[in-house]
Amino acid sequence: MGEIRNFRSGNQNEPPSHGAMPRRLAAIIVGDIASYSRLMQADEEGTHVRVKRIERDLIEPSIVEHHGSLVKTTGDGFIAIFDSPVEAVRCSIVIQQNLIGRNASLPKHSRIEYRIGVNLGDVIIEPDDVYGDGVNIATRIEGIAEPGQVYISGAIYEQIKHKVVCGYEALGDRKVKNITDPVRIYRVLPDADAVGGTRGRRENTLIFLLSLTLLVSAAGVLWYLLAQPPGKGSEQAATPTASPVASPVQQPPARESAVPTPQPSPSLASPAPPAPTPTPSQSPTPASEPDMTAIRGGSFTMGSNDDPTERPVHQVAIKPFSIGKYPVTVREWNECAAAKACGFTAIGKDDAPVTNVSWTDAQQYAAWLAQATKKPYRLPSEAEWEYAARGGTQSKYWWGDKLQPGMAGCKDCGDAAAEQPSKVGSFKPNPFGLYDMGGGVDQWVADCWHRTYQGAPNDGSAWSAGDCSSHVLRSGSWKNDSRYVRPSNRDGYDTNVRYPTHGFRVALGP
């Protein structure tokens, strides 16, 4: 994990050094609250309290989690620096998506919305601040950004374009104040659906204009036909039916042939039956149920002394249930998306685990699957997940106390670092026959997040009491180190926020 560094160094009572200040290349985030003056004028004390709470509960922890350093807060904003452009952008996305959830129940005029700009540049580090064109450009980008949006420079884009699961909208080169050269700007589109939406914007515009042209033409033809006298219209309609090459001299015979031959009315030329033709595709497709593994009930020791969040170690009784053999895949998720029951269409290979889902997304999938199959699908409880992950063992990992290659997908588990998780089932199963119960993707469970197990239920049920603005994640991901793939490892994350390493598996039972 990262830490919020104190930029003051040396003896703080001594005068500052007159030597050259250190410089470094860094990814800089600058955030600023939109309409801050208006919010303060409307409710000065309340706004101040809300801003400080956001800084304490969201901004500072997000910076720490993404290995960054908070340089300073500015009353209505903040500045942070990161070694990694990828982590800087991920942190920005998490902050903005979390704020969407926090603002959902508030009237628009009361919402606290940040504009965020991110740049990669050389900075000068002083005891309690950072300076340089890199910071100035990030500040100017933030000023261009829309409330609730993340804008990045071209320098950041080149570093992350194939590494962060999101879309980007090119906004062109912008001339910014006090910077000589124009800066290329991109808007970050966190949702996977936004990628196709942005790329297709021009095509959609052209299609709309073409459709409008055809509609106008059709309206003109219809008006012309309706304006004709009845006889003339019938005559013109019958003439091409009798002979497409008929000369004017042959018109009378053509009219005679029109008498025994019925006129092709719209209902005869285009019969109504074709309309029901797509009916079979409109019928709901049965949901493909995930492969489930039955788990016999039992009792086990939950938690460990390796981390304060895993304490106290306690005994838990588990009732029989079933759990997914693998995490939910892209193919399985997209069936839910096709049924309009899940919020986005996932990208990636069909047999890869679905990622970038929030806890709310996972709940929507489980609810859809339960309704489609008439079976009680749900998210597993935290206790059920750990019981299943241990596979009847009590060692550090399910295979023993030492890390072994080929057993899990993580950053230091023996394979080369990957940009995406491996397909489900790529590693050995645990003794219960379950795959990817450690590494691969972080997996949501049903429980609300609590910092310790003090007061946790001992009957295997989900812990749903308390503040449920965050929920529990298990397993660790391909981006984490081996500490995270321990069966006892646990983390909490915001309920409504999507993140590129987060997935889930389902359970089945009472």
Side-chain angles (χ1 to χ4, degrees):
M1 298 294 287
E3 61 180 0
I4 300 179
R5 302 172 190 161
N6 186 344
F7 278 80
R8 299 182 183 276
S9 58
N11 188 341
Q12 296 183 15
N13 295 322
E14 292 179 359
S17 168
H18 295 288
M21 290 294 179
R23 306 179 71 101
R24 58 174 283 197
L25 185 68
I28 308 106
I29 291 180
V30 175
D32 180 75
I33 299 173
S35 304
Y36 179 74
S37 298
R38 175 181 59 78
L39 292 167
M40 288 293 284
Q41 186 175 10
D43 182 7
E44 184 176 65
E45 184 174 340
T47 297
H48 177 74
V49 169
R50 291 168 62 202
V51 170
K52 288 301 177 185
R53 184 182 299 119
I54 290 171
E55 290 175 355
R56 182 185 70 245
D57 297 344
L58 173 60
I59 292 173
E60 292 181 7
S62 297
I63 291 170
V64 169
E65 183 169 346
H66 293 84
H67 316 292
S69 305
L70 178 66
V71 177
K72 64 178 180 179
T73 57
T74 58
D76 63 343
F78 67 94
I79 298 176
I81 60 174
F82 297 75
D83 293 330
S84 165
V86 170
E87 294 296 341
V89 173
R90 283 178 174 165
C91 179
S92 302
I93 292 171
V94 166
I95 290 171
Q96 294 291 39
Q97 291 196 332
N98 188 288
L99 286 169
I100 290 173
R102 289 170 180 255
N103 286 327
S105 61
L106 298 175
K108 188 171 179 61
H109 63 83
S110 298
R111 295 174 182 174
I112 293 179
E113 296 180 301
Y114 280 78
R115 297 182 295 253
I116 291 181
V118 190
N119 181 47
L120 179 67
D122 200 48
V123 297
I124 301 171
I125 300 176
E126 291 201 348
D128 55 2
D129 210 342
V130 290
Y131 298 92
D133 279 352
V135 180
N136 293 340
I137 291 173
T139 303
R140 302 307 179 195
I141 294 173
E142 171 269 306
I144 296 171
E146 296 292 327
Q149 299 290 329
V150 177
Y151 282 19
I152 62 175
S153 66
I156 288 285
Y157 172 77
E158 291 300 324
Q159 296 295 319
I160 72 167
K161 58 185 178 182
H162 301 305
K163 300 177 181 178
V164 179
V165 184
C166 59
Y168 307 95
E169 180 181 5
L171 302 179
D173 294 339
R174 300 288 184 91
K175 181 70 177 175
V176 297
K177 186 178 179 181
N178 297 331
I179 302 299
T180 304
D181 297 324
V183 178
R184 180 153 295 181
I185 308 293
Y186 293 83
R187 182 166 72 97
V188 176
L189 308 169
D191 290 337
D193 281 347
V195 181
T198 302
R199 291 176 180 173
R201 184 171 298 174
R202 293 181 180 177
E203 289 84 349
N204 290 341
T205 302
L206 292 174
I207 291 172
F208 171 76
L209 292 175
L210 179 60
S211 301
L212 185 62
T213 302
L214 292 174
L215 183 62
V216 171
S217 300
V221 172
L222 180 62
W223 174 84
Y224 175 77
L225 292 175
L226 293 175
Q228 298 302 313
K232 184 176 181 181
S234 301
E235 179 180 338
Q236 291 178 341
T239 300
T241 305
S243 175
V245 293
S247 66
V249 178
Q250 295 172 319
Q251 283 181 1
R255 291 183 63 183
E256 291 176 6
S257 64
V259 175
T261 306
Q263 293 187 33
S265 66
S267 61
L268 293 174
S270 302
T277 301
T279 301
S281 65
Q282 293 174 354
S283 61
T285 304
S288 298
E289 296 187 59
D291 289 334
M292 304 298 289
T293 298
I295 305 296
R296 291 185 297 178
S299 177
F300 80 111
T301 302
M302 184 173 182
S304 80
N305 290 312
D306 292 341
D307 189 274
T309 64
E310 300 166 19
R311 303 174 190 157
V313 175
H314 57 292
Q315 286 294 120
V316 178
I318 301 293
K319 299 175 182 177
F321 71 104
S322 295
I323 191 167
K325 195 174 196 177
Y326 312 99
V328 171
T329 65
V330 169
R331 177 184 58 79
E332 290 164 343
W333 172 270
N334 283 343
E335 287 184 8
C336 177
K340 308 300 183 185
C342 289
F344 66 93
T345 300
I347 58 175
K349 296 181 179 179
D350 283 351
D351 56 1
V354 66
T355 59
N356 207 34
V357 297
S358 67
W359 183 87
T360 303
D361 292 328
Q363 284 285 69
Q364 288 175 347
Y365 175 88
W368 166 78
L369 188 62
Q371 182 179 24
T373 62
K374 309 302 181 187
K375 297 179 181 179
Y377 281 100
R378 55 180 173 79
L379 293 182
S381 71
E382 184 174 14
E384 288 174 335
W385 194 97
E386 183 169 331
Y387 180 73
R390 288 186 177 277
T393 70
Q394 285 297 144
S395 49
K396 186 174 183 178
Y397 307 100
W398 63 257
W399 59 84
D401 289 324
K402 293 185 178 180
L403 189 64
Q404 295 180 18
M407 306 302 282
C410 74
K411 189 165 61 175
D412 58 350
C413 286
D415 294 328
E419 294 303 324
Q420 298 294 332
S422 302
K423 68 177 184 179
V424 298
S426 295
F427 301 93
K428 294 180 180 179
N430 74 0
F432 283 175
L434 302 174
Y435 292 82
D436 309 317
M437 294 295 278
V441 290
D442 297 296
Q443 297 172 33
W444 289 109
V445 295
D447 302 55
C448 302
W449 169 249
H450 297 81
R451 292 185 181 276
T452 71
Y453 284 133
Q454 196 68 46
N458 59 8
D459 61 356
S461 61
W463 195 2
S464 57
D467 178 13
C468 286
S469 59
S470 298
H471 279 79
V472 177
L473 282 164
R474 288 306 201 110
S475 179
S477 79
W478 82 99
K479 289 290 189 181
N480 296 130
D481 61 45
S482 56
R483 293 174 299 167
Y484 291 81
V485 306
R486 296 177 298 110
S488 60
N489 179 73
R490 59 195 299 265
D491 285 295
Y493 209 78
D494 298 281
T495 299
N496 296 314
V497 178
R498 293 170 179 163
Y499 194 72
T501 65
H502 294 175
F504 66 103
R505 71 177 71 214
V506 292
L508 180 61

